[in-house]
């Protein structure tokens, strides 16, 4: 793949494989004094591998999960042209399996295509968008994705399970559910929008674009995901039920509405505060931060000084060991190419950040 969006997930593979270093103890500095973030980033990029099949022309919105010594990378793909668009019905979801010891792709498995027939359901025509992987146990992954036809119907989030021992997906597919203050519904944008509108959200509804954009993270024994309707600029924190088939909306964070915040990533700070970093499609396009004491009530978003020159692209916000990793796209362009500089900063408290990696490439 050539997109930095997908490279973010390769970096997690590198962490597991030992290509990146993770701080071990609080006594050690996060970044040595003579550390060169650009050189460190170059070393990582030299080891990256392509995980898509040769016929793939466009790849986007990847997700990653681990079972044993393998990484499982799901992405939305198309074999006809570069780029992606939810109105392209030929976009399908597939998953590549990578041996972490050799960093070799063992095989690629199709997850779903529009109009595909399963034992219990037939998918409607439309793109299969934004796959996300949730580990259920030592041998099973659950894959969620949206099937959508903008302007024609409500999109629907579906899921099916992958058996790692058999190396294949089940032949049954199911509708994911969305729980809001009004009840439990099929996971479709109109119900997500209605819940936000009841709390003052003013942007018009969209019939597509509802995704579990930042999924899945565990805090206090519970599994969480960030829900987002990208074209509508709508965001919320959700908790996943024990059956792993329903997303319960806990709290929306969309203020200030004029900035159209999207595609956020979340984590919990050491004191338990929730923090989200949000992509911004309005204003100056720099990233917006919002916090919450309980995941339900969120502050109005604002800029933070440690992300001064961001631009509109999905951020990452993870924790490995005792260190937080904040990934964000810089508006600087290499060779005039957009999305050509991606920073990865580290912190122990989520407040003071140091530059760990700077990835520069003209292969946006």
């Amino acid at each position: 793949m050539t997109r930095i969006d997908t490279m973010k997930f390769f970096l997690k593979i590198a962490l597991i494989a030992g290509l990146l270093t993770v701080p071990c103890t609080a006594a050690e500095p996060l970044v040595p004094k003579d550390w060169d973030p650009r050189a460190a980033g170059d070393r990582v990029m030299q080891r990256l591998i392509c995980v898509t099949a040769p016929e793939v022309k466009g790849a986007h919105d990847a997700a990653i999960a681990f079972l044993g010594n393998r990484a499982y990378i799901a992405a939305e793909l198309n074999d006809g042209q570069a780029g992606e668009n939810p109105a392209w019905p030929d976009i399908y979801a597939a998953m590549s399996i990578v041996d972490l010891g050799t960093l070799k792709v063992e095989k690629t498995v199709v997850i779903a295509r529009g109009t595909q027939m399963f034992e219990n359901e037939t998918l409607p025509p439309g793109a299969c968008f934004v796959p996300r992987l949730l580990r259920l146990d030592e041998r099973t992954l659950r894959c969620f994705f949206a099937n959508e036809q903008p302007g024609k119907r409500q999109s629907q989030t579906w899921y099916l399970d992958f058996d790692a021992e058999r190396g294949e997906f089940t032949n049954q597919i199911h509708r994911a559910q969305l729980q809001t203050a009004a009840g439990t519904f099929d996971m479709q944008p109109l119900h997500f929008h209605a819940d936000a509108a009841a709390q003052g959200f003013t942007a018009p509804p969209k019939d597509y674009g509802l995704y579990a954009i930042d999924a899945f993270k565990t805090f206090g024994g519970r599994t969480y995901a960030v829900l987002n309707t990208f074209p509508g600029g709508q965001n919320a924190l959700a908790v996943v039920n024990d059956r792993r088939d329903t997303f319960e909306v806990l709290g929306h964070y969309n203020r200030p509405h004029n900035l159209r915040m999207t595609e956020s990533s979340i984590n919990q700070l050491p004191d338990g505060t929730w923090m989200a970093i949000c992509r911004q499609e309005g204003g100056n396009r720099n990233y917006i931060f919002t916090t919450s004491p309980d995941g339900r009530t969120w502050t109005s978003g604002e800029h933070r000084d440690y992300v001064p020159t961001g631009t509109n692209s999905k951020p990452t916000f993870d924790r490995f060991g005792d260190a937080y990793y904040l990934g964000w796209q810089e508006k600087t362009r290499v060779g005039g190419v957009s999305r050509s500089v991606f920073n990865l900063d580290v912190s122990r408290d989520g407040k003071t950040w140091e530059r760990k990696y700077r990835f520069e490439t003209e292969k946006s």
Side-chain angles (χ1 to χ4, degrees):
M1 298 182 186
T2 58
R3 292 190 56 81
I4 285 183
D5 280 352
T6 304
M7 188 183 74
K8 300 168 190 176
F9 297 96
F10 293 165
L11 300 179
K12 293 185 182 180
I13 294 180
L15 280 161
I16 298 299
L19 303 179
L20 302 185
T21 57
V22 178
C24 298
T25 69
E28 298 176 358
L30 286 173
V31 179
K33 291 182 179 180
D34 59 350
W35 185 261
D36 184 338
R38 167 70 186 278
D42 288 346
R43 288 193 295 271
V44 172
M45 288 195 291
Q46 290 169 5
R47 298 290 301 277
L48 296 181
I49 63 171
C50 181
V51 300
T52 51
E55 65 270 16
V56 171
K57 299 295 190 299
H60 208 81
D61 283 300
I64 194 168
F66 301 97
L67 286 175
N69 67 339
R70 292 180 175 87
Y72 298 81
I73 304 171
E76 64 188 51
L77 311 171
N78 80 85
D79 301 340
Q81 58 188 316
E84 50 85 35
N85 189 310
W88 295 350
D90 293 336
I91 289 183
Y92 62 98
M95 185 174 72
S96 297
I97 304 172
V98 179
D99 184 297
L100 289 173
T102 63
L103 289 185
K104 301 293 184 183
V105 178
E106 295 183 343
K107 67 176 180 178
T108 299
V109 184
V110 172
I111 299 168
R113 301 176 185 267
T115 72
Q116 184 172 341
M117 297 177 64
F118 294 85
E119 287 180 358
N120 60 328
E121 294 264 13
T122 297
L123 274 179
C128 292
F129 239 58
V130 190
R132 291 294 179 259
L133 298 172
L134 174 60
R135 176 174 168 168
L136 298 184
D137 54 43
E138 294 301 318
R139 63 177 285 177
T140 312
L141 295 175
R142 177 159 291 177
C143 181
F144 296 86
F145 65 91
N147 173 256
E148 49 195 16
Q149 285 181 293
K152 296 184 178 180
R153 60 173 172 84
Q154 286 288 313
S155 71
Q156 171 68 47
T157 296
W158 299 79
Y159 69 87
L160 72 168
D161 293 341
F162 179 80
D163 188 311
E165 292 189 8
R166 296 204 317 267
E168 60 186 30
F169 282 94
T170 60
N171 198 28
Q172 291 198 349
I173 194 166
H174 307 278
R175 290 175 172 85
Q177 302 293 295
L178 182 72
Q179 182 179 340
T180 71
T184 302
F185 311 93
D186 284 345
M187 191 166 172
Q188 299 176 352
L190 79 164
H191 305 299
F192 187 48
H193 181 272
D195 195 53
Q199 299 182 30
F201 185 62
T202 58
K206 302 292 181 180
D207 62 7
Y208 72 103
L210 173 57
Y211 315 122
I213 196 67
D214 190 44
F216 294 89
K217 296 174 181 176
T218 301
F219 304 98
R222 306 190 76 187
T223 301
Y224 295 84
V226 169
L227 304 185
N228 168 238
T229 302
F230 177 76
Q234 200 181 329
N235 313 270
L237 178 67
V239 63
V240 186
N241 68 346
D242 292 340
R243 295 188 307 275
R244 303 296 192 256
D245 61 6
T246 301
F247 296 79
E248 178 189 354
V249 176
L250 295 180
H252 296 269
Y253 48 93
N254 302 308
R255 297 178 294 126
H257 296 161
N258 63 302
L259 294 185
R260 196 183 150 209
M261 303 181 317
T262 69
E263 292 189 342
S264 64
S265 186
I266 59 99
N267 222 298
Q268 273 192 323
L269 302 181
D271 65 359
T273 299
W274 292 92
M275 186 166 78
I277 174 175
C278 308
R279 170 177 172 171
Q280 183 204 168
E281 294 299 297
N284 62 5
R285 295 191 173 184
N286 192 18
Y287 293 93
I288 299 295
F289 289 81
T290 177
T291 60
S292 170
D294 56 7
R296 298 179 183 275
T297 303
W298 293 79
T299 61
S300 184
E302 60 183 9
H303 295 300
R304 295 287 173 90
D305 291 342
Y306 46 80
V307 180
T309 56
T311 192
N312 56 330
S313 180
K314 187 189 180 306
T316 63
F317 190 14
D318 295 292
R319 188 175 184 178
F320 301 108
D322 67 344
Y324 294 96
Y325 280 67
L326 184 70
W328 54 281
Q329 198 82 53
E330 191 174 307
K331 67 180 180 181
T332 304
R333 296 190 174 198
V334 177
V337 177
S338 65
R339 293 184 176 179
S340 53
V341 177
F342 188 78
N343 296 312
L344 202 57
D345 298 336
V346 292
S347 172
R348 286 200 177 92
D349 59 8
K351 300 176 181 179
T352 302
W353 295 88
E354 303 170 75
R355 182 64 39 80
K356 184 75 171 181
Y357 297 98
R358 179 179 177 85
F359 303 99
E360 296 187 12
T361 175
E362 293 185 19
K363 296 180 179 180
S364 172

